[in-house]
Amino acid sequence: MSARGRNLLVAAWLLTAAAAHGARARVELSWGRLLFLIATALRIALRTIWHSVRSARPGQGRQVVVRLRGEITASTAGGARRRLSAALAARPPLLEIDLARVTVLTRDGAQVFFDAVRTAHATGIPVVISNAHPQPRATLHALGLDWVVHYSNST
């Protein structure tokens, strides 16, 4: 049990004891155990509901498509890096990188893809490269990214 859970449990117990004392009621040991069990059951139920609500957030469960464009070189890769990082921060079930508008991809610019694929792999997110023209795809192939990404709709 986490420290926060223990603190909430202790707080619930203290509030119950204070209410009982205020009502001048004497709490038997068996009643105290029953209250403890009820508080624990409520905590488990609320925690289960909280996790199910958090996992059903909007945006969760939909793939994210990042559409890159232009030349991706060492000097222009910052924008692509920020967009891919933001997409991965949302923890989508699938990351699609659309390269339909990418005209040139240099070996130095492809470092962005290594970083994104490493982060995606660490969090269990599959990566799909879509609409890659021959030059960007050849660069990705030469760098060995074919082993860790999938391609779709290749032009």
Side-chain angles (χ1 to χ4, degrees):
M1 179 184 296
S2 68
R4 183 175 179 187
R6 282 190 300 269
N7 289 344
L8 288 174
L9 212 51
V10 169
W13 176 256
L14 289 175
L15 284 173
T16 305
H21 181 69
R24 295 181 192 237
R26 187 172 150 228
V27 179
E28 297 286 328
L29 185 58
S30 60
W31 283 105
R33 288 181 184 159
L34 180 63
L35 288 175
F36 179 78
L37 288 174
I38 291 171
T40 303
L42 282 174
R43 180 184 161 276
I44 291 170
L46 290 174
R47 190 173 191 189
T48 304
I49 291 168
W50 174 255
H51 286 295
S52 65
V53 167
R54 284 196 66 191
S55 65
R57 291 183 303 193
Q60 199 76 322
R62 289 185 278 161
Q63 78 177 33
V64 172
V65 179
V66 177
R67 291 180 174 83
L68 302 176
R69 64 177 182 200
E71 296 181 0
I72 300 178
T73 63
S75 60
T76 62
R81 178 175 283 114
R82 283 189 296 277
R83 293 182 64 200
L84 290 170
S85 295
L88 288 168
R91 297 188 55 92
L94 174 73
L95 174 63
E96 179 182 343
I97 304 172
D98 187 352
L99 299 182
R101 292 183 166 178
V102 173
T103 54
V104 175
L105 176 63
T106 64
R107 290 166 94 63
D108 295 336
Q111 180 63 38
V112 170
F113 295 102
F114 280 106
D115 297 340
V117 167
R118 183 183 319 116
T119 303
H121 180 67
T123 55
I125 300 170
V127 178
V128 174
I129 305 284
S130 64
N131 305 316
H133 292 290
Q135 189 280 323
R137 184 160 181 171
T139 302
L140 294 173
H141 175 73
L143 295 172
L145 277 173
D146 287 353
W147 292 95
V148 291
V149 297
H150 302 282
Y151 292 96
S152 71
N153 303 330
S154 297
T155 56

